[in-house]
Amino acid sequence: MIQEGQSYESFLTTDLMNLSQIDFISKYVAEIDSLSKKELFGGYDMQTQGKSPTDIQHVQHTFVNAFLGKRTDIIKQILSSNEHFALSKQQFTALCQEVVKSPISTPAGNDKNGFKLLENVHPDAVSYLANGKGKGFKDTQDAIRSISNKLIQGLCFSKLGLVTCCRKSKKSDEEALVHLPEKIPVIESLRVAIMGNDVQLAAELWSNSDNPMLTALVSNVYLSAMADKAEQLFEETLQADILSHSRKFTSRAVKLLDKLFIHKETMATKALDYVSEVWDHKESPLHFGHQFNMEEFISHPSAQKDASKRMYPYVNEEDTTVTMNKPTDGSTSKNVKSRECLPYIKDHLHLDSAWTLIKAPVTKLSFHVIFFVTALVMFSFFLTRDLKTEISILEGMIFFYMCGDLLEELWSMIRPEDCSWSFQRVLLHLFDMWNILDFVCFILYIVGFGLHYYYPDLLLHTRRIYSVALFIMFLRLLNLLLLIKRFGIIIIMIKEMLVDLGEYLVILIILMFASGIVYHANIYPNHTVTAFPRDIQNWQIWSILKIPYWQVYGELYLDVLEASDDTGCTTNSTLWMNDPSLNRCPTSDWLPPVIAATYMMLTNWLLLNIVIAMFSARFDLIKTKSSQKWRYHRHSVVIEYEHKIPSPLNIPFRVLIILFYVMCYLPFYLCNEYSEETIRGHDIDEMLQRQREFARVIIEEEKDDGLI
């Protein structure tokens, strides 16, 4: 191990030994002074592939010192000679301890070691790694896992609405501690390199990971979380360096997907759907990319071709490899299959392929649109013309439709067919804007239906609840337009601008309360009406906010502010105090008009022009990435309808499937075992091996281009 006072660069400075040189090592003794005896014989054991415990220990020792000395050539040879290489807990602890203490810096003195940043994320865990001891952690791997959880939590908190979305349950954490492995796989060394922000080591270790595509995406998320933390601490140089590192992993995932599609499209589809575990994240690359909004990965042309293959699937996918971007000649024209709606339907208008047409996402999406629009028309009809004390047939049919749609949303949120349920997945699904609208609409309608059924005399409240549900249901119609590019880009712009509007509203509400309370205090002095009476429409807060809110749109209310209009009001205090619905006559004072002039100048001149400028800037920003964002949302819609059954057709099918899962997979561990055996039986090993080959090619290309 490196002794105190020695530089890291002084270790492992000699060239790697070739197999032909093993018999003549004595010739090079003068050039390997930097190697200890353990390292020297570790290198020999590596070449001869010794299997004894001593040989394995020597190779592990060599790996650790190569890691600390940044000798990626030695690491590459160790991993290539033993694909099942793993570190002992003792060696992994020593590696982490030295990396945490490492004073890795740029020539300008800017610290690039990510663990210096992570001291602000989880100081106890970083202290444990540095000292090799401490309370609250079972071992080094447990401390690394704790830092990972804190990192991802920080990323979730930085996203709008995502609160503790990646926090695992205490029970699952305890189970993970019990089953910690005796040997530490190489991917844990990659996690250390990621946290240490070491670009070269991370690149070499990533190319030898078991599942490079998912590993690249998870690494990107970790580095993004670290960059967010650096931004909070005003570490701008470190933030820029980490973001650059993060973009490298995004680029690698995209290049890997591209190479897989060029090689074999069906293999690329399997790679996107393959569910595996990387650093406690069990997910497929496709759904992981959607959950963390990785637009560059999802919007890549290869992923869009994958979306087209899912939207318009054929029985024999091997026949469709010539249909995307490759020219065809006359000999292959009969095998060309179109990935467009009308030609696809025409190709399947016969009995042999009818089931394929029915299961296709394009068919299910079409049925969903038909049923949804029909339900919307029926809802509007009975709400405006046929809402009576007793429940009508149309109202019952809409209730049946809403229950089916709610069941389908719950199914999409959990996805039991993957056998990898997680609380993270549920919350990430819930906090999507369109899913929020769905659930609010479902809940409102079901509550309104229950209120109408059990309390038919409260028809007024039922109509109000139904009206809000119908309004939200019309908004949900916009989600269906996302597949049409012209409409989709506009809807995406509206969605993004809502963020700017929210920031504007915070400032506006503060000004509204400031002016509204001043108005009320001077126009209606000593107004002692109860602030929150029984009827919500008579709450005093509405009268406080009414005038400043409508003033934003140009309604001046000068007759009230100057007390020049006393029609429809009373000056009798006994009347207006006992009946909040009666209006009190305003009192004349010079201050309200002055405050109104100042307020309207701030809102109508300043804030309104600021928000217009913000919308303009947001429009220009989205316009430059409009195609990327639309592709991302297009793929989201396709994935949503790949396994979705339109309501209300889904109710009998889902009930039968739920009964099947309850009877067969109630013990979750049986489900996991079955899933793993099933997955590994479909050429997955070949796909993963091809991924590793392409990953090594990508890293070599980056080295040739001087990127690492």
Side-chain angles (χ1 to χ4, degrees), residues 298-315:
I298 300 299
S299 63
H300 189 265
S302 296
Q304 294 305 304
K305 290 191 289 186
D306 171 74
S308 297
K309 288 169 67 67
R310 295 170 189 271
M311 179 68 88
Y312 309 105
Y314 284 84
V315 177

Side-chain angles (χ1 to χ4, degrees), residues 139-151:
D139 57 11
T140 302
Q141 194 175 1
D142 181 32
I144 292 289
R145 181 181 286 109
S146 299
I147 297 174
S148 301
N149 289 336
K150 287 284 186 180
L151 266 181

Side-chain angles (χ1 to χ4, degrees), residues 355-410:
W355 182 241
T356 302
L357 178 62
I358 293 174
K359 293 192 303 179
V362 63
T363 306
K364 292 188 284 188
L365 177 60
S366 301
F367 275 109
H368 174 74
V369 172
I370 294 172
F371 291 145
F372 183 83
V373 173
T374 303
L376 196 60
V377 173
M378 293 166 59
F379 193 178
S380 303
F381 180 84
F382 89 77
L383 182 61
T384 55
R385 301 187 60 182
D386 198 29
L387 186 60
K388 302 177 182 178
T389 305
E390 64 278 359
I391 295 178
S392 64
I393 296 177
L394 288 180
E395 188 175 358
M397 293 174 64
I398 299 300
F399 176 77
F400 189 69
Y401 173 84
M402 288 290 185
C403 289
D405 221 358
L406 175 60
L407 176 62
E408 201 62 27
E409 278 296 321
L410 294 174

